[in-house]
Amino acid sequence: MKNIRNFCIIAHIDHGKSTLADRLLEFTDTVTDRDLKEQVLDDMDLEREKGITIKSHAIQMDYKHEGTEYVLNLIDTPGHVDFSYEVSRSIAACEGALLVVDATQGIQAQTISNLYLAIEHDLEIIPVLNKMDLDNAMPEEVKDQIVDMLGCDYEDIIEASGKTGYGVDKILESIIKNVPPPKGDPNAPLQALIFDSVFNSFRGIIVYFRIFNGEIRKGDLVKFVNTGKEYEVNEIGVLRLKQEPREKLSTGDVGYIISGIKTAREVKVGDTVTHISNPCDEAISGFEDVKPMVFAGIYPIDPDDYEELRASMEKLQLNDASLTWEPESSAALGFGFRCGFLGLLHMEIIQERLDREFDMNVITTVPNVSYRVITNKGEIIEVHNPSGLPEQKYIDHIEEPYIKAQIITRSEYIGPIIKLCLDKRGELKNQVYLTTSRVELTVDMPLGEIVFDFYDKLKSISKGYASFDYHIAGYRPAKLIKLDILLNGESVDALSTLLHQDNAYEFGRKMCVKLKELIPRQQFDIAIQAAIGAKIIARETVKAVRKDVTAKCYGGDITRKRKLLEKQKKGKKRMRKVGNVEVPQKAFLVVLKLND
């Protein structure tokens, strides 16, 4: 046990975590030259295309230092704010963390929030200054920032480069010296934390765990404390580049367990594994539940695919515990699921993964945040989508979630960023100059305002230099209204939105104009209307396609043409009554792109 070190890598997005992990694997000969490729731990096609880490990845390395063999368990984590739940899970399974800071950009918002998460779990922090090989690196300035934040000495900060491999030997030496070995009793009853799981179509569900007390052997009978399910251990092993079976794992080890679990509901990330015959006294605590921020409906394009979509969602939830969902139905789209996501990028990734990994074609409705409705009787109702809103006469007031946002940026962009926040109904609470050229803004904002395009706008205003991090700061009363979109007088519930009164008129008008472009012309006029209750606030009309019925009349009396046109008009009226409008899939995504 004293030769085991469990650590993770935490940093802001794009500060070089995965590249540094590559160098560590190369230096410890965990990866052969033949298997080596960039971002070797990012095994999803999506991760490689977008250049971001979506999943945390665990891998074991062997390293010889001063004649002693050490086992290093590394967990690489994502940097984007939407995947912070992955980071919290990784931190729960470690004793130490490499805090990677980009020498060209300095400390950013996600660096700070991930650091606080690590400090809460009493992890040993090793500061690493990455990208030292770049010409525009500012080592002295960034070191000052790290010392201010961590209170460490300048000598403790390791200069490194994930690209060239400079400083990797010092990092490994520091991990062995500073990260404490796992605490725990190998003779106590088994107590292991599940920190991840994946679905394998041949072997069932593979559970990744970290042992805090006791040991586990192949063939043992174990149970999962929260779900109460019992299994026989068919295979255990450690996570190398490929899974390597072992006969026994002991306290401090990180590994996997295969026991023929077929249903996704039986595995909960954060659960505790123990023996049936000699169970541990209590489950491992301190593992937080996920709180979804953005809600959207996901529906199969073909209603017959509903059960297949349910199975795909269950398998996906195994691999991404921050996804929550429940069944719901819509008049326009049929049966589907109401899903909770941690943010818009998270939603986009889930949609992509459903398409690529499970070949599911889905429609996603307008994203919403969760509102609280206080009725006249004082009851509190949680509303995730506009159709769940009670009638206006029963509502006393509606409360919306507020966030405390921290934005770190260069001082030259501060004006436009403050304007953007104020336009989104934000209140500037604090402004601190971290250095002469870097400012930290603290802003209270409604979560609903940042759901659509806030992040994109912030990045374009600051030329990519602003970093953004937030956490929920409670609920506040707000003037919210339900905006309905009517097609030929019928409401399309999948296009309804809950939004602030001040934004309703403009949003409704934009929706109508955009839908007019997207809805194909029919044989009859289509009225597109935006309504608040019974009041219509905007209207556009998609004109009918007219067949030229008079084409066959050459010459002759005008009354012949009139007769044909009158006949056509009657037919149009009759069609108008039974005419059903087909809404293309693009129309449901249009709301996200309204401000483009």
Side-chain angles (χ1 to χ4, degrees):
M1 238 172 78
K2 66 177 191 296
N3 294 344
I4 297 175
R5 300 289 184 272
N6 296 322
F7 68 100
C8 58
I9 303 181
I10 54 175
H12 189 77
I13 189 167
D14 208 22
H15 278 202
K17 295 178 293 300
S18 300
T19 312
L20 193 62
D22 289 353
R23 293 296 81 74
L24 291 169
L25 296 177
E26 200 178 4
F27 201 86
T28 54
D29 297 326
T30 309
V31 180
T32 59
D33 287 346
R34 193 179 67 180
D35 290 329
L36 187 68
K37 55 185 177 183
E38 279 189 27
Q39 277 90 35
V40 72
L41 291 180
D42 291 350
D43 49 13
M44 237 186 275
D45 289 344
L46 252 179
E47 293 181 310
R48 309 191 76 78
E49 278 170 33
K50 289 183 177 284
I52 58 172
T53 303
I54 293 166
K55 285 283 304 161
S56 54
H57 298 270
I59 192 160
Q60 190 180 86
M61 305 177 281
D62 293 329
Y63 181 58
K64 199 167 187 176
H65 179 66
E66 293 176 356
T68 312
E69 286 282 351
Y70 288 92
V71 173
L72 309 178
N73 290 311
L74 154 71
I75 303 179
D76 179 27
T77 62
H80 196 282
V81 66
D82 278 13
F83 304 111
S84 53
Y85 187 63
E86 291 281 331
V87 183
S88 74
R89 284 157 44 181
S90 309
I91 283 174
C94 294
E95 276 86 29
L98 291 182
L99 179 74
V100 177
V101 180
D102 187 333
T104 63
Q105 295 188 40
I107 286 170
Q108 306 223 285
Q110 207 54 34
T111 318
I112 296 171
S113 67
N114 287 346
L115 172 69
Y116 287 158
L117 212 60
I119 290 171
E120 273 172 39
H121 282 77
D122 290 334
L123 264 59
E124 183 63 43
I125 311 288
I126 299 172
V128 176
L129 197 56
N130 196 22
K131 304 194 184 180
M132 285 298 293
D133 57 312
L134 296 180
D135 297 336
N136 58 341
M138 317 172 285
E140 298 312 315
E141 193 179 318
V142 179
K143 275 185 183 176
D144 287 342
Q145 292 173 23
I146 295 172
V147 170
D148 281 351
M149 188 173 72
L150 273 181
C152 60
D153 295 331
Y154 282 94
E155 298 75 51
D156 297 341
I157 301 167
I158 302 168
E159 294 185 359
S161 164
K163 193 172 274 184
T164 63
Y166 163 66
V168 171
D169 50 342
K170 286 183 187 163
I171 292 173
L172 288 164
E173 204 174 299
S174 182
I175 289 165
I176 286 161
K177 276 187 186 164
N178 298 321
V179 175
K183 297 181 181 72
D185 182 359
N187 302 316
L190 174 68
Q191 192 185 35
L193 171 78
I194 298 175
F195 67 87
D196 208 351
S197 55
V198 290
F199 181 79
N200 182 307
S201 44
F202 301 107
R203 312 208 61 183
I205 290 157
I206 302 171
V207 174
Y208 295 166
F209 66 97
R210 146 82 202 268
I211 303 176
F212 282 89
N213 285 306
E215 57 182 41
I216 185 170
R217 292 173 186 274
K218 189 177 170 182
D220 282 356
L221 294 171
V222 295
K223 78 166 178 181
F224 293 0
V225 176
N226 282 348
T227 55
K229 299 284 181 184
E230 301 180 351
Y231 308 99
E232 182 185 346
V233 178
N234 300 337
E235 184 183 295
I236 53 170
V238 294
L239 299 157
R240 296 278 173 154
L241 207 53
K242 293 184 173 60
Q243 291 159 351
E244 283 186 13
R246 295 276 191 273
E247 282 302 310
K248 165 185 124 165
L249 292 175
S250 189
T251 305
D253 282 329
V254 173
Y256 69 92
I257 176 172
I258 298 174
S259 49
I261 307 168
K262 292 287 184 287
T263 38
R265 283 190 217 90
E266 294 178 19
V267 178
K268 275 201 169 77
V269 168
D271 203 348
T272 305
V273 183
T274 189
H275 282 128
I276 296 172
S277 56
N278 182 17
C280 57
D281 298 334
E282 56 180 23
I284 297 164
S285 62
F287 195 78
E288 59 189 56
D289 264 344
V290 59
K291 295 183 188 72
M293 301 294 173
V294 174
F295 295 86
I298 288 186
Y299 295 84
I301 285 179
D302 182 352
D304 296 344
D305 292 342
Y306 175 72
E307 282 305 324
E308 209 178 312
L309 179 60
R310 177 193 283 273
S312 304
M313 297 287 276
E314 283 184 356
K315 288 170 188 169
L316 198 55
Q317 193 175 26
L318 264 183
N319 199 242
D320 184 350
S322 53
L323 169 68
T324 57
W325 53 271
E326 57 187 43
E328 74 161 5
S329 63
S330 146
L333 301 171
F335 290 102
F337 299 97
R338 188 90 202 142
C339 302
F341 308 97
L342 297 184
L344 271 194
L345 178 67
H346 187 210
M347 183 174 114
E348 193 186 313
I349 296 292
I350 293 291
Q351 229 176 318
E352 279 276 333
R353 288 184 70 184
L354 279 171
D355 183 26
R356 290 179 186 215
E357 294 171 32
F358 304 100
D359 204 20
M360 291 302 308
N361 247 337
V362 294
I363 291 175
T364 309
T365 63
V366 182
N368 265 309
V369 296
S370 131
Y371 296 104
R372 286 209 305 220
V373 176
I374 288 74
T375 63
N376 299 335
K377 294 178 181 173
E379 296 169 346
I380 297 175
I381 304 169
E382 281 233 341
V383 175
H384 299 317
N385 61 343
S387 57
L389 201 67
E391 282 185 52
Q392 195 62 43
K393 59 184 177 187
Y394 300 123
I395 298 173
D396 181 59
H397 66 278
I398 303 176
E399 293 181 345
E400 63 176 338
Y402 260 70
I403 56 164
K404 187 178 271 315
Q406 275 157 325
I407 300 167
I408 297 178
T409 182
R410 295 203 170 170
S411 46
E412 63 255 41
Y413 307 122
I414 190 167
I417 287 175
I418 290 176
K419 184 180 182 303
L420 173 67
C421 293
L422 296 177
D423 288 348
K424 298 281 184 186
R425 298 192 286 129
E427 297 170 22
L428 186 64
K429 289 291 177 190
N430 201 358
Q431 181 177 330
V432 181
Y433 276 82
L434 302 171
T435 65
T436 48
S437 60
R438 287 162 56 80
V439 187
E440 182 185 34
L441 302 173
T442 307
V443 189
D444 281 358
M445 292 174 74
L447 181 62
E449 293 284 346
I450 68 159
V451 163
F452 291 118
D453 57 353
F454 179 80
Y455 200 66
D456 294 344
K457 282 188 172 172
L458 181 69
K459 284 287 175 202
S460 54
I461 284 173
S462 63
K463 300 189 172 57
Y465 276 110
S467 62
F468 176 67
D469 180 42
Y470 63 87
H471 56 266
I472 288 289
Y475 284 78
R476 296 190 196 176
K479 290 182 191 166
L480 294 171
I481 46 164
K482 181 183 172 190
L483 180 75
D484 288 313
I485 299 296
L486 312 176
L487 294 180
N488 273 351
E490 282 185 32
S491 172
V492 183
D493 58 352
L495 289 173
S496 300
T497 46
L498 272 174
L499 75 171
H500 197 266
Q501 206 169 326
D502 299 350
N503 305 339
Y505 172 69
E506 196 164 331
F507 190 81
R509 197 171 49 78
K510 280 184 181 172
M511 279 278 278
C512 291
V513 170
K514 204 78 176 171
L515 286 170
K516 184 183 177 183
E517 294 168 16
L518 289 171
I519 291 176
R521 291 169 72 187
Q522 315 273 341
Q523 294 277 324
F524 50 90
D525 283 1
I526 302 169
I528 304 167
Q529 295 165 312
I532 298 167
K535 185 182 175 190
I536 305 293
I537 58 167
R539 173 185 167 127
E540 292 288 333
T541 308
V542 179
K543 283 293 176 195
V545 179
R546 249 192 65 187
K547 183 181 171 190
D548 191 358
V549 287
T550 59
K552 60 178 184 263
C553 298
Y554 44 92
D557 192 4
I558 186 72
T559 52
R560 283 184 67 202
K561 289 187 180 179
R562 278 225 184 97
K563 189 172 140 195
L564 289 168
L565 289 168
E566 285 299 324
K567 198 173 165 191
Q568 184 187 34
K569 202 188 268 182
K570 274 184 193 165
K572 292 265 190 221
K573 266 187 185 163
R574 198 161 59 246
M575 283 184 78
R576 180 66 191 272
K577 283 174 194 163
V578 295
N580 210 349
V581 184
E582 286 202 351
V583 183
Q585 189 188 347
K586 277 190 283 186
F588 295 101
L589 303 174
V590 67
V591 192
L592 305 181
K593 309 277 189 303
L594 267 186
N595 294 322
D596 287 7

